[in-house]
Structures are given as structure tokens and as C-alpha cells.
Amino acid sequence: MLLLRAARASPAMAAVVRCKPTRLTPIAGLSSSSGGGRRKKAGRRGEAKPPPPPPQLRGGETKKKKKPDARTAAEAAQGLQRHHEVERRKKPPPPLTPPPPPKQEKAKRVVRWKCAAGCGACCKLDKGPDFPSPEEIFAEHPEDLKLYKSMIGADGWCINYDKSTRTCNIYEERPVFCRVEPKVFEEYFGVPSRPSTFDREACSACVDTIKMVYGEESAELTNFKRAIREESKKHEASLNQDKLLDT
């Protein structure tokens, strides 16, 4: 209205009004094209960039991460186990080791007692505290106890023993308890009358007596062991020959 009024009032102003108006550039356009717009778009330095938007699917839905399924893990474990089982079956079985042979019982060595000549250790009647006393041996045979004690000399040897020749003066008529026989050992010492048991007990008794009388390194002990080995070999050979004859 003011421009119209000014045109009517002055022809010069009317000419100005009739001129084509100049097109002004919008302020918003100037602000976007200037450098200040770039600083606003880049943002301040040091600020973290916003995370990228989640990928969009065709239907506009956001792709979600799948949670591990317990069934899937169990099936994978079962599949791995089946794989190991198949691989194990493919491998050849280990070679079978033959069972160890049965242990063969060691055959008992045949022992045969024999009196060794020139020994006489059993004629030492007083054998000391390491051996059973006459009272213990003849507890059930009082008559034999009296006879045994009567035969003991001052030096502990039998009065019927000849030390010079190491022989018995009454060998053929010697008392029963002086005879090394299975029935005597069973009656006086309680040793079973089986041949094998008797031979072993008789050999053991002689070895102990010889060690006590003559010593462990004595010639008498060596001579007795040699006599036992020879007699045992003869007896074993006789037994083997009997087995061959039986077969």
C-alpha cells in the first residue's frame, strides 16, 4: 500500500515500481551452500559416529541374530561322536596277544636220606638247649627216658660210641630210638610216616646236628650232603625207570 501511495504521489517512484523486481536468493539456500553448512554436516571433531542402521530385508523387517539352539548343539555332538565311531571302525583292530602259557609247577626234587659213614654226630646225646630235651622227647616213654640218660657219658657223647673209629659198638643191638626209621620218627617226633616227608625231616635233623657238633663249614657236613645227593639221584633214576616200565 505504501508503494502504491508513493507511486501516485511521485511519477519517479512509479517508474521504480514498474521496473522488474530482482529475484532474491533464499537465505536457506545461502546457508546450505556456505562453509558453515559443511561444518554442521560433518559434526564436531571427537564425536562418535552413530552406528549404521540394521540391514533391511525385503519386507522391511530388520535381520535378527539367531540364538544358538540347544538341539543344534546336541545334534552336532552326536554327529561328531558318530564320525569318531566310523573312523574307529575303519582302523584295523589291534593284534591279539596270545595268553601267557600256564605256569608249570616246579617238580619237587627227590630227597633220599642216607647215613654218611664216619659222621657219628647223632651219638652226641647231650645236644644242648637248642634241641629238645630228653624229657620232652620221651614224655610218653619213661623207660626209654631212663635208658637214654644212662647212655650219656661225662663228655655228653654216648658211652657206646667209639671216637677213634667213629662207629657204634652196639650198632646191631642199638635201642629203638637210635634207629632212623619212619615209624620211629612218627612215634617220638610226630613226623608222618610218608616216605617223602620222612626223608626230608631226617635230612634236616642230621644237618642241624652236624652243624652243632662239627660246624657249618665242616668236612662232615660236606660229606653228608654229597651222600644225600648221590642217594637221591639213584632213587630218582629208579622212579623214572619204574614209570617207563608202567607205560
Side-chain angles (χ1 to χ4, degrees):
M1 291 298 291
L2 293 175
L3 292 175
L4 291 176
R5 288 178 181 177
R8 289 176 183 176
S10 176
M13 291 297 295
V16 174
V17 173
R18 290 189 187 99
C19 293
K20 187 177 182 180
T22 305
R23 187 174 181 180
L24 299 177
T25 305
I27 298 175
L30 293 175
S31 62
S32 60
S33 60
S34 63
R38 292 195 188 99
R39 285 196 299 269
K40 185 176 181 180
K41 186 176 182 181
R44 298 179 181 178
R45 293 182 180 179
E47 289 184 356
K49 295 182 179 181
Q56 299 291 331
L57 300 178
R58 291 183 178 181
E61 297 179 355
T62 305
K63 187 176 181 181
K64 296 181 180 180
K65 293 183 179 180
K66 293 184 178 180
K67 295 182 179 180
D69 192 0
R71 294 181 179 179
T72 306
E75 292 175 356
Q78 291 179 358
L80 183 61
Q81 186 177 2
R82 287 194 296 269
H83 174 72
H84 290 327
E85 184 68 19
V86 171
E87 292 295 329
R88 186 182 63 82
R89 291 179 180 178
K90 288 181 180 179
K91 294 181 180 179
L96 298 177
T97 56
K103 294 183 179 180
Q104 297 181 354
E105 295 183 358
K106 189 177 181 180
K108 292 184 178 180
R109 185 169 60 90
V110 177
V111 177
R112 188 74 171 178
W113 177 85
K114 182 183 180 182
C115 183
C119 177
C122 59
C123 295
K124 181 70 179 293
L125 302 184
D126 187 8
K127 296 180 174 62
D130 294 336
F131 291 81
S133 64
E135 288 77 12
E136 294 174 351
I137 297 174
F138 303 105
E140 298 179 359
H141 305 83
E143 296 297 328
D144 292 333
L145 178 59
K146 291 180 181 180
L147 179 59
Y148 187 88
K149 286 186 174 183
S150 65
M151 295 169 57
I152 301 175
D155 56 357
W157 287 85
C158 178
I159 59 176
N160 300 307
Y161 177 66
D162 189 352
K163 294 181 181 178
S164 61
T165 59
R166 291 191 177 186
T167 57
C168 178
N169 296 327
I170 59 169
Y171 186 79
E172 298 298 332
E173 293 83 16
R174 66 190 184 278
V176 175
F177 51 77
C178 290
R179 301 175 185 270
V180 184
E181 298 174 357
K183 61 179 182 179
V184 176
F185 269 58
E186 184 177 12
E187 183 177 357
Y188 289 93
F189 303 105
V191 177
S193 59
R194 293 189 299 270
S196 59
T197 305
F198 160 74
D199 285 321
R200 292 182 181 276
E201 291 294 332
C203 292
S204 178
C206 286
V207 169
D208 293 340
T209 304
I210 294 172
K211 286 182 179 180
M212 185 271 297
V213 177
Y214 299 113
E216 296 184 0
E217 304 295 334
S218 61
E220 290 79 3
L221 182 60
T222 303
N223 184 33
F224 175 74
K225 289 181 178 180
R226 181 172 58 252
I228 295 302
R229 286 195 298 269
E230 292 177 356
E231 187 67 18
S232 300
K233 288 181 180 179
K234 290 180 182 179
H235 183 63
E236 187 175 6
S238 177
L239 293 176
N240 292 336
Q241 186 176 2
D242 293 340
K243 289 181 180 179
L244 291 175
L245 292 175
D246 293 339
T247 57

